[in-house]
Amino acid sequence: MKQVTTGAGLRLALEEANSLGRRRVLVPTMGALHRGHLALVKRAREEAGPDGIVVVSLFVNPIQFDRGADLDAYPRPLESDLAHCQAAGVDVLFAPDVAEMYHPDRSVTVSETCLSRGLCGATRPGHFDGVCTVVLKLFLLSACHAAVFGEKDFQQLAVIRRMVRDLDVPVEILAFPTVREPDGLAMSSRNVRLTPDHRADAPRIHRALMQSARLTDVAAILDAARKEITASTFARIDYLELVDAGTLQPITSLSHPALLAAAVFYGDVRLIDHVLVLPIIC
Ligand code: AMP
């Protein structure tokens, strides 16, 4: 595995692959890798083929954080991330620092102005501008043919697909389903920051979403999910919404596939999850 920290180093590492026309597949991450990330890497390898190049980027992107404390507390276990990537057969690991990625006087931002407005975009101002900007930079730096993203960050996936469509970015976007702990909690780099009490309670988010998604009425679904989550003395809802799975706009009736999505705080750790809700066709 080649490990590079600069854009120039990345180009050099990919030069041979470029000249041979090998398929390059990127997995963008913020590190603190877990089984969810590694499943994306496996998917990237399948997509690249044995002769292709799998690039993993590892960059805690400051401009997508709305809370400084969250950025400071974000786990950065570099040594174990390196070992995971090595073991997973990653070809190139790109781990730049902030100064490498952003000029001090940078003045260009990529903004998606529709799908990014609700859900996480509403409670984390500027978050998706930061995501789009860094992802487009990573696409350009790696000159990847394809990139793999997790469905866990469903809104992020939708926003990136829209960016790629609207800006004619020549990168194929591949989605991978959410990888969960045995108790149902969606794997997240932030899970290690939960206290033991909070960790034990946190599977209720997925349980609440799953149970209430079986109901057929929008108000009843939201009510049931809210009751189950707020039954915890630890959990604080940041948002709980039922939105159209395509437009991400709130819905009042279940006529199209919908997304029941929640962001929940445990202390200062914010967790997100969602389930798809399909309309019952009679
Ligand atoms: P992050 O490091 O949290 O920015 O995530 C990097 C990529 O891994 C994103 O595409 C995420 O959607 C994806 N990811 C994070 N957690 C999971 C998970 N539990 N299952 C599947 N993909 C995930």
Side-chain angles (χ1 to χ4, degrees):
M1 181 176 78
K2 288 182 188 162
Q3 192 193 333
V4 294
T5 55
T6 63
L10 181 58
R11 283 207 185 90
L12 202 63
L14 295 170
E15 218 158 62
E16 194 198 2
N18 289 352
S19 62
L20 296 173
R22 291 179 178 155
R23 191 158 172 82
R24 293 176 298 277
V25 184
L26 172 70
V27 182
T29 82
M30 298 206 297
L33 302 180
H34 50 66
R35 279 194 294 109
H37 295 114
L38 297 175
L40 268 55
V41 172
K42 191 158 173 260
R43 176 71 187 88
R45 172 54 66 199
E46 285 164 11
E47 182 63 25
D51 295 332
I53 302 290
V54 173
V55 181
V56 168
S57 63
L58 206 153
F59 178 60
V60 183
N61 177 32
I63 68 166
Q64 73 184 68
F65 282 77
D66 53 310
R67 293 178 298 133
D70 187 30
L71 173 62
D72 293 343
Y74 203 84
R76 291 167 169 86
L78 186 59
E79 286 308 312
S80 78
D81 283 351
L82 293 180
H84 279 310
C85 286
Q86 188 86 50
V90 171
D91 297 300
V92 180
L93 179 68
F94 178 49
D97 64 17
V98 174
E100 177 62 26
M101 287 297 278
Y102 296 121
H103 294 278
D105 61 347
R106 67 175 195 91
S107 54
V108 175
T109 299
V110 183
S111 274
E112 194 286 330
T113 58
C114 179
L115 300 172
S116 66
R117 287 301 185 239
L119 304 174
C120 289
T123 57
R124 302 185 69 189
H127 171 67
F128 287 111
D129 287 0
V131 169
C132 286
T133 303
V134 80
V135 167
L136 186 59
K137 281 171 71 76
L138 291 168
F139 285 176
L140 293 169
L141 285 164
S142 65
C144 58
H145 297 101
V148 189
F149 291 87
E151 283 173 4
K152 180 197 170 241
D153 298 277
F154 191 95
Q155 187 178 18
Q156 169 173 282
L157 182 59
V159 167
I160 287 167
R161 283 193 199 279
R162 180 63 63 88
M163 173 183 81
V164 162
R165 186 197 76 176
D166 284 3
L167 298 183
D168 299 308
V169 181
V171 176
E172 189 182 343
I173 304 300
L174 307 167
F176 194 87
T178 303
V179 178
R180 297 182 179 280
E181 299 285 2
D183 59 13
L185 178 65
M187 298 200 82
S188 162
S189 301
R190 290 184 174 87
N191 289 354
V192 296
R193 296 193 50 234
L194 294 168
T195 65
D197 282 350
H198 292 177
R199 171 62 189 83
D201 193 69
R204 84 166 49 243
I205 305 171
H206 182 56
R207 194 169 62 234
L209 300 180
M210 289 290 284
Q211 284 171 357
S212 45
R214 292 193 201 115
L215 304 172
T216 51
D217 172 78
V218 169
I221 290 173
L222 289 170
D223 194 43
R226 185 170 299 279
K227 275 204 183 102
E228 173 65 18
I229 295 172
T230 53
S232 161
T233 47
F234 303 122
R236 181 169 63 80
I237 293 176
D238 186 34
Y239 68 72
L240 172 69
E241 286 194 50
L242 195 55
V243 297
D244 183 286
T247 64
L248 303 189
Q249 297 301 311
I251 54 170
T252 49
S253 69
L254 266 175
S255 48
H256 297 287
L259 198 73
L260 178 60
V264 176
F265 275 104
Y266 278 88
D268 68 342
V269 180
R270 184 176 174 280
L271 304 177
I272 58 169
D273 205 347
H274 71 272
V275 296
L276 272 176
V277 186
L278 298 175
I280 294 169
I281 318 262
C282 301

